[in-house]
Amino acid sequence: MIRNLTKTSLMLFFLSLLSTTHLSGQQDIPSRVEALLNKMTLAEKVGQMNQYNGFWDVTGPVPKEGNSKMKYEHLKQGKVGAVLNVRGVENVRKLQEIVVKESRLGIPLIFGQDIIHGFKTLTPVPLAETASWDLEAIQRSARNAAVQASAAGISWTFAPMVDISRDARWGRVMEGAGEDPYLGALVGVARIKGFQGDDLAAPNTIASTAKHFAAYGFAEAGREYNTVDVGTNTLHNIVFPPFKAAVENNVKSVMNAFNILNGVPATGDAFLQREMLKDRWGFKGFVISDWGSIKEIAFHGHAKDLKHTAELAAKAGSDMDMESYAYINHLEALVKEGKVQESLLDDAVRRILTVKMELGLFEDPYLYCNEEREKRWLYAAEHDVAALDMAKKSIVLLKNEKQLLPLAKTQQKIAVIGALANDKNSPLGSWRIGSDDNTAISVIEGLTKYGKNFTYAKGADLITGKANFIDEVKINETDRSGFAAAVELAKNSSVVLMVLGEHGFQSGEGRSRTKLGLPGVQQELLEAVHAVNPNIVLILMNGRPLAIPWAAENIPAILETWQLGTQSGNAIANVLYGDYNPSGKLPMTFPRSVGQVPIYYNHYSTGRPVSEGNVFWSHYSDEANTPLYPFGFGLSYTQFEYSDLSVDASNPKAVKVMVTVTNVGSRTGEEVVQLYLQDKVASVVRPVKELKGFQKFSLSPKGTKRVSFTLTEKELGFYNTKGKFIVEPGMFEVQVGTNSQEGLSKSFELK
Ligand code: GLC
């Protein structure tokens, strides 16, 4: 008995130690935060809620107050909590030393930056990465980006952007995960896990940010920063889910959006930032404003002056002010005048200090300032391997008639045409602050690794002059002087590779377009070449869905290669020559024409979905309703067949769906099996289908796999107009297949 007692008591003792240690770790932070908060003056609390841009990269309009002399003074006076866009360990250390050594409490700064798709080694733009439907690869991409960025002194990224959007006119679709909330939520969480890792206090993990809260992707007419008006059904079932998933997966900050949402600027909206984010979802991190979004509350016509914006934003739950100078200039007075409760500042400062402590910045404010690590990890060779893998998996094969692809390695007389084929900058895409220009492997360089059996002709410039992150890109609309040489080359070639599309800075922030065709003179060039040699492989480089109906009709092979980052040319060459069998699937619908936009797969039926032989049904008189390429679409160099779809709904809490997939082609390939669900009759109209599951795997020729999915309440339910999640019994239809339009279907009743 004694022996047992000893064993039990020993075990209990160690358990208590563990729990105490563990709890003291957690307990330790809240009590340390409280102790520090109690020492802080009102001015120092306001200081923690103030973020300045560094003195290097500008990612927004620079206000006149933004002078560096004042900022240095404020650093010394403890009036700055965070800085963004500071370049390199040396400069991060310099600013950190000022704050830690000269300010009264020495509260360390957190250094933020938009690490969106890599830092020095760039991976494909996020929309392209999503096309891989490979969550592990996406997480690894973010992990490597965090390793590089943290080595350069950055402790916080303003990513992932989780804005759902159905509008390719909006330039920031390149930055997100497309049109679907289910896929968007999973991709956002993968990125958060990649950035934050398993231990936020480690020197190679960084805090992440779910942005932009909320509904920024629904800007009217796809025009940047434009008005947003969406109903509760769209808000709760499309816009919110990726943010809610981010909060449930411990995202450390949320950035609010520039737009008004249903009449209220998001930055000043307590429904969003307090009721939904902090109260209903229990968000414990802090809300960072977008660049200048607090002061823009006045431009929206919701506040009379900067001081009023500070009052509204603080009350609405914006915890930190990025570059509005609203909090630093007015928050102290607002508290003293009794217009803003100091308790609101305490809540904001607690959240900010907690993240800084979780990052380990109080134990070591210079944790991210290690020149050795900076030398070791920027452009790390290991990251090139992962970036190439990610790039290959992001490519989508849209068409491959006459089996033009893959090219035979002995293929002779290949013509390569298009300015983008020889471009080492554009494939890097937008949103790459702190990266270095011209570090992409071009298509020409990638092809050269397969021999020099090709000849290049530019055909036409895509842009005139230089392109950069903040200025309008000037498109070549007139210079066709290279056409003749390109056409002559095509005439004397067996196959033509045409690399056409958008410049990397034609999408991203501030880059809305009213047209979705090939910019400039590229369509003319494509048709001129086609006239003399129709054996064309069109290699698209673009940051958004394009409307390319002529190409879809006339060009035998089309590869969607987006902007694939540093390893662009190598990935494209690997796919062209079949060393990688393309496996990507579209994360966003490609329209036939811009007039169809917004067009998306998870639409509603409408009351007149089909023709009755007259015009009184939901359609256009001059365009089909169907997309050019649907959500989830992507071909392979092999073919997959689906059979034996079964559904077992005997347990309404776990509906079992199974299907058999067989590789009936001659090459090993990866397939993304997609499961879509329709709730046929519901108290809130449900889409004709919604993605509720997918699995990606490889099959060798003749290989077959019995794939199973389990549908739980999470997949079967939806948010009603009160924002309450409910599951309703009734008839459902499940579709399992290779994209959102093709698959096997079966109905079942949920009891
Ligand atoms: C920009 C963007 C936001 C970014 C911030 C800092 O205007 O809207 O996504 O994180 O400013 O660069």
Side-chain angles (χ1 to χ4, degrees):
M1 186 57 183
I2 294 291
R3 192 166 56 80
N4 281 342
L5 192 61
T6 315
K7 230 167 62 173
T8 310
S9 52
L10 263 178
M11 191 176 71
L12 284 174
F13 169 70
F14 281 118
L15 269 179
S16 70
L17 251 191
L18 184 69
S19 59
T20 318
T21 314
H22 173 68
L23 279 178
S24 73
Q26 291 307 319
Q27 275 173 348
D28 186 38
I29 288 183
S31 53
R32 283 166 57 199
V33 164
E34 217 50 42
L36 179 52
L37 188 66
N38 292 334
K39 290 181 196 157
M40 294 172 76
T41 65
L42 178 56
E44 286 164 339
K45 292 176 184 175
V46 173
Q48 286 303 304
M49 298 169 70
N50 179 39
Q51 175 179 47
Y52 284 145
N53 185 49
F55 320 130
W56 290 267
D57 300 276
V58 171
T59 52
V62 181
K64 61 184 182 317
E65 307 94 330
N67 67 74
S68 49
K69 187 173 173 308
M70 173 210 71
K71 292 180 179 181
Y72 274 113
E73 281 313 306
H74 283 179
L75 288 169
K76 293 174 189 164
Q77 297 158 7
K79 292 185 171 180
V80 189
V83 186
L84 72 146
N85 295 334
V86 177
R87 274 184 177 270
V89 163
E90 186 189 348
N91 291 311
V92 167
R93 182 192 301 281
K94 189 170 78 170
L95 299 187
Q96 194 71 295
E97 279 177 345
I98 294 172
V99 167
V100 170
K101 292 179 179 169
E102 300 190 41
S103 73
R104 186 177 78 91
L105 292 172
I107 299 174
L109 294 166
I110 181 172
F111 289 83
Q113 189 159 315
D114 298 276
I115 308 300
I116 306 294
H117 57 107
F119 180 55
K120 293 295 182 184
T121 307
L122 292 166
T123 52
V125 294
L127 187 64
E129 284 195 345
T130 306
S132 71
W133 295 54
D134 185 330
L135 300 176
E136 261 176 55
I138 291 169
Q139 181 170 332
R140 185 175 52 242
S141 255
R143 180 87 296 275
N144 291 347
V147 167
Q148 291 197 16
S150 57
I154 294 157
S155 40
W156 172 32
T157 178
F158 307 125
M161 184 270 228
V162 296
D163 300 315
I164 297 300
S165 185
R166 300 155 159 176
D167 197 326
R169 293 171 294 183
W170 188 50
R172 299 193 77 163
V173 294
M174 57 71 65
E175 199 180 341
E179 70 190 47
D180 180 73
Y182 177 87
L183 180 59
L186 289 170
V187 167
V189 167
R191 289 185 171 133
I192 290 162
K193 289 178 175 173
F195 289 131
Q196 296 187 175
D198 300 327
D199 174 10
L200 198 59
N204 67 357
T205 57
I206 59 179
S208 64
T209 307
K211 70 184 185 182
H212 307 78
F213 198 53
Y216 184 11
F218 283 75
E220 274 180 7
R223 198 181 83 211
E224 186 59 283
Y225 313 127
N226 203 5
T227 302
V228 173
D229 235 274
V230 289
T232 45
N233 187 24
T234 300
L235 207 47
H236 287 287
N237 289 298
I238 304 292
V239 172
F240 283 163
F243 287 98
K244 186 170 184 288
V247 171
E248 287 163 352
N249 284 274
N250 200 25
V251 72
K252 289 299 165 191
S253 75
V254 167
M255 182 180 287
N256 55 38
F258 289 120
N259 51 278
I260 61 170
L261 174 60
N262 304 336
V264 179
T267 305
D269 188 344
F271 160 70
L272 284 177
Q273 297 174 128
R274 290 203 186 281
E275 182 181 333
M276 288 311 300
L277 187 63
K278 294 175 179 176
D279 298 347
R280 220 190 277 196
W281 297 342
F283 175 57
K284 295 286 178 275
F286 66 91
V287 175
I288 173 70
S289 86
D290 202 339
W291 183 296
S293 68
I294 290 178
K295 77 164 183 282
E296 290 171 11
I297 292 174
F299 305 159
H300 282 294
H302 191 65
K304 56 181 184 298
D305 55 24
L306 189 64
K307 185 172 182 179
H308 192 195
T309 68
E311 178 187 348
L312 295 176
K315 286 177 174 175
S318 295
D319 299 310
M320 187 183 278
D321 170 0
M322 180 197 288
E323 281 291 319
S324 283
Y325 303 81
Y327 285 0
I328 197 65
N329 286 316
H330 298 291
L331 207 42
E332 191 173 347
L334 284 163
V335 172
K336 287 176 177 166
E337 294 159 14
K339 289 183 180 160
V340 173
Q341 298 301 316
E342 186 164 357
S343 59
L344 296 185
L345 276 66
D346 291 346
D347 177 62
V349 173
R350 271 192 203 96
R351 292 168 181 271
I352 294 163
L353 295 180
T354 299
V355 173
K356 290 184 176 182
M357 285 189 187
E358 288 174 340
L359 281 167
L361 286 170
F362 278 83
E363 280 71 19
D364 177 4
Y366 309 103
L367 180 67
Y368 292 87
C369 300
N370 178 319
E371 279 79 356
E372 286 316 304
R373 254 207 332 266
E374 189 173 37
K375 269 200 281 301
R376 164 68 180 86
W377 286 106
L378 269 48
Y379 286 120
E382 306 90 314
H383 295 170
D384 278 334
V385 175
L388 175 57
D389 176 68
M390 186 79 256
K392 290 189 292 191
K393 291 175 174 174
S394 303
I395 293 174
V396 183
L397 178 61
L398 295 177
K399 190 177 177 185
N400 188 23
E401 259 167 17
K402 303 188 288 190
Q403 300 314 308
L404 203 54
L405 289 176
L407 300 173
K409 287 181 181 162
T410 55
Q411 179 94 36
Q412 295 309 316
K413 295 179 73 67
I414 296 175
V416 181
I417 296 171
L420 286 170
N422 202 23
D423 191 321
K424 293 174 63 64
N425 213 26
S426 180
L428 298 174
S430 184
W431 274 120
R432 49 184 182 86
I433 310 301
S435 70
D436 298 310
D437 282 351
N438 298 310
T439 51
I441 289 162
S442 69
V443 170
I444 294 293
E445 290 167 331
L447 289 173
T448 305
K449 297 191 173 84
Y450 283 85
K452 297 193 186 307
N453 54 345
F454 64 87
T455 310
Y456 171 63
K458 182 168 62 175
D461 284 321
L462 170 58
I463 63 173
T464 58
K466 287 262 171 270
N468 60 46
F469 181 73
I470 60 173
D471 295 319
E472 291 296 348
V473 177
K474 292 180 187 55
I475 301 298
N476 167 30
E477 305 281 4
T478 54
D479 179 359
R480 296 168 179 79
S481 56
F483 274 36
V487 168
E488 190 57 28
L489 171 64
K491 207 185 294 182
N492 301 307
S493 302
S494 57
V495 66
V496 183
L497 309 181
M498 290 198 77
V499 188
L500 305 173
E502 293 181 318
H503 189 279
F505 285 122
Q506 274 190 274
S507 53
E509 184 174 356
R511 309 293 182 170
S512 293
R513 290 180 63 195
T514 59
K515 302 176 186 68
L516 293 176
L518 293 170
V521 297
Q522 296 180 101
Q523 180 64 35
E524 288 174 56
L525 176 62
L526 178 62
E527 293 182 28
V529 167
H530 180 265
V532 299
N533 186 341
N535 274 346
I536 295 174
V537 177
L538 173 59
I539 296 158
L540 289 171
M541 289 190 177
N542 42 295
R544 59 169 37 97
L546 295 179
I548 48 164
W550 186 90
E553 178 71 27
N554 296 286
I555 301 300
I558 304 175
L559 270 183
E560 174 52 75
T561 72
W562 313 102
Q563 280 125 16
L564 293 171
T566 309
Q567 290 295 321
S568 175
N570 286 338
I572 292 169
N574 286 174
V575 167
L576 285 171
Y577 282 101
D579 285 339
Y580 180 77
N581 183 354
S583 62
K585 299 282 185 177
L586 295 179
M588 205 169 165
T589 302
F590 276 45
R592 294 177 186 282
S593 81
V594 69
Q596 292 178 297
V597 173
I599 180 171
Y600 46 97
Y601 87 93
N602 49 351
H603 59 78
Y604 299 105
S605 163
T606 76
R608 298 190 175 182
V610 293
S611 164
E612 303 285 341
N614 53 41
V615 297
F616 308 118
W617 65 290
S618 182
H619 77 297
Y620 301 99
S621 52
D622 58 356
E623 185 57 274
N625 284 355
T626 53
L628 189 63
Y629 297 110
F631 175 83
F633 180 83
L635 302 175
S636 167
Y637 291 153
T638 189
Q639 293 74 38
F640 297 99
E641 244 173 37
Y642 287 71
S643 58
D644 302 329
L645 174 63
S646 69
V647 179
D648 171 4
S650 53
N651 175 359
K653 299 241 184 283
V655 177
K656 288 255 181 284
V657 180
M658 299 187 82
V659 73
T660 298
V661 184
T662 305
N663 180 345
V664 295
S666 57
R667 280 172 176 271
T668 296
E670 294 159 281
E671 172 65 323
V672 181
V673 179
Q674 301 158 43
L675 182 147
Y676 296 88
L677 193 64
Q678 180 184 16
D679 184 344
K680 305 291 279 186
V681 177
S683 57
V684 175
V685 174
R686 306 305 305 133
V688 295
K689 61 187 74 174
E690 293 179 276
L691 180 71
K692 291 296 180 186
F694 63 88
Q695 293 180 36
K696 180 170 189 175
F697 51 82
S698 176
L699 283 176
S700 49
K702 297 193 180 34
T704 185
K705 182 181 172 84
R706 186 77 177 147
V707 184
S708 70
F709 298 91
T710 301
L711 300 177
T712 67
E713 292 191 344
K714 195 161 176 262
E715 289 76 33
L716 295 160
F718 59 92
Y719 289 93
N720 67 15
T721 49
K722 299 272 179 303
K724 185 172 179 304
F725 191 78
I726 57 174
V727 179
E728 294 179 338
M731 290 309 293
F732 285 76
E733 178 157 310
V734 66
Q735 172 198 304
V736 184
T738 189
N739 64 57
S740 59
Q741 304 308 314
E742 295 171 73
L744 301 177
S745 296
K746 219 176 216 0
S747 297
F748 66 90
E749 184 173 6
L750 186 70
K751 299 246 192 283

